[in-house]
Amino acid sequence: MSRVAETFARLQAAGEKALIPFITAGDPSPALTVDLMHGLVDGGADIIELGIPFSDPMADGPVIQRASERALAHKVGLRHVLAMVKTFREQNQHTPVVLMGYLNPVHVLGYETFAQAAAEAGVDGVLTVDCPPEEAEDLTAALTAAGLDPVFLVAPTTPMERVREIARLARGYVYYVSLKGVTGAGNLDIDDVARKIAALREHITVPIGVGFGIRDAETARAISVAADAVVVGSRLVQEIEAATPETAKEQLTRLVATLKAAIR
Amino acid sequence: MSSYDFPDARGRFGAYGGVYVAETLMAALDELNAEYARAKADPAFWQEYHHELKHFVGRPSPIYHAKRWSEQLGGAQIYFKREDLNHTGAHKVNNTIGQALLARRMGKKRVIAETGAGQHGVASATVAARYGMECVVYMGSEDVKRQAPNVFRMKLLGATVVPVESGSKTLKDALNEAMRDWVTNIDSTFYILGTAAGPHPYPMLVRDFQRIIGIEAKEQMQEMLGRQPDMVVACVGGGSNAIGIFHPYVEVEGVRLVGVEAGGDGVETGRHAAPLSAGKPGVLHGFRSYLMQDEDGQIIETHSVSAGLDYPGVGPEHSLLKDIGRAEYVAINDDEALRAFEDCCHLEGIIPALESSHALAHAAKVAPTMGKDQIILVNLSGRGDKDINTVAGLMGITL
Ligand SMILES: Cc1ncc(COP(=O)(O)O)c(C=O)c1O
């Protein structure tokens, strides 16, 4: 069983929902990332989504765009991200790490080279935002061969026949995009999300996480009623943005603890 | 070569193209693809498209013999396909009319566009006014500064121009922002993409609407000279004017197709916008193609005197044409383009767009190496009125 599957099994047995915080690797500086990851776990993170910085983050709102820009100012690339995960694993062998990013940095490294390096570093899953199932065959094969979970998005606009195709390829969990928009947007409709998740469960057997636009404990709680996992990104990145390098870890831990308490 | 038939059903031009977008956009692209398939088979759609091109744009655009310049160069005869004479001043309008007619078929009342030089923005604002649609244009804040007259033109036409401050603040960032708008307003909005790039079906769609350039040229050359040119030259930003004139010639033997990228300060300096000359295949903006990127797969900032060529990628069909050797791609530096700009003004009485000046510069470079009985057809993709501030600035003159 993969580390992601184990985590969901453990939580399910305890009647808990998973909290998946997202931060961008290298934001605000590469030296802080591993520490911040431990800080997320201290606060109660069940899985960490670690963003790979990219120069053209088309699916992201301004907050995560700025995180990417801060990381790129330090020239943080995919190789550094993998090195960070490796360092994180020296002290933590139980929290799954899912890389989230855009295809080109992975494409340029080569799918097989990337998958092997990622598995060696201790990565558990990979979500490339701009690689839908239609284009994902080679990447998915490489990931699966290396024992990594390919994570896919499902959107409010996804028709059911595509949901079936995504269900066939997805491992670990499926990421339901809670709104039509970019990350950090504010037009989330909780009832609509709950209805959609119920419909998705007819086809999807892996756990369903929900993200995009979850900004506070109240929304996280409401979403967690229907979902197996809640993903929080922009709100955490904003916390990093507002903190000093000295206080960032402590502030993240506190915020994650509030979110985890709300969905437990 | 009678088997040239691209893209395939998955939007692939050989190893290039495809649909690399976030899940939220997939349904909209499928819908667009299906609607275009219906429109393509509907004679009434093309009838209206051609009616608009004739009465609103002023097509067919003429072919013009640049006699004095050819004489001075002392080699091949240079002819221009005069897209600069189109309403709105460039080839871009051929495409915006086609896409706006599609938008209308799909019942969309709001259109968005990205723009670099502002020509596609102006052409989008123009058709939005013509068909009564709301129009929002995304433009890098650097380009807003470089292309002030076009920004004002768009506003006069009733469009909202949104300066984009992210990334390098140029065309690629405007495209990112347009995609973000589209994903947010997907039910109400049609995205009028301005070049033969982006996710399938855009590269095919834009090509099909720009093919009119090459279709006309073929007929006009036959009529005027009883033969086809030895070489067709076009500038390549995203590649729409080039694919428009190339495509009808792909299966015509003996016609060399040459695409001219922006060499900026020189390809060897790294400060350029020439992915086919100096890039590697990668994935950006929804498609796979040659791309300017660093070893981490980050997109590199581009440099060109012409805002319309300042793009790190290139339409996927050009990547295919390069790989199969059917088209050649070269780079022309800023200073060479500016010299051609001046020569065209002085010798032919035509102020060309800085983008088109790259194609002119290459023609002027190779014409002397060719025989006097040989013919080069240059796609004069646009007029240079929008560029007078830039050129004046380079001459040290403030207007
Ligand atoms: C006059 C003109 N020519 C060429 C281009 C480059 O675009 P494309 O390569 O799509 O023709 C532009 C883009 O703005 C333009 O305005």
Side-chain angles (χ1 to χ4, degrees), chain A residues 10 14 16 30 43 53 62 64 75 98 114 174 182 221-222 230 234-235 258:
Chain A
R10 180 175 52 74
E16 275 184 47
I64 294 178
K75 304 233 172 304
V98 173
F114 162 73
V174 159
V182 292
R221 193 201 56 72
V230 174
S234 295
R235 178 65 189 88
T258 325

Side-chain angles (χ1 to χ4, degrees), chain B residues 12 17 48 98 125-126 144 209 231 234 288 334 341 343:
Chain B
R12 297 247 159 210
E48 183 166 15
T126 298
V144 168
F209 294 139
M231 184 188 283
R288 184 173 189 274
D334 285 353
F341 175 93
D343 285 345

Side-chain angles (χ1 to χ4, degrees), chain A residues 203-218:
Chain A
H203 305 289
I204 294 173
T205 51
V206 292
I208 299 175
V210 174
F212 278 46
I214 300 173
R215 327 185 44 84
D216 53 42
E218 183 44 39

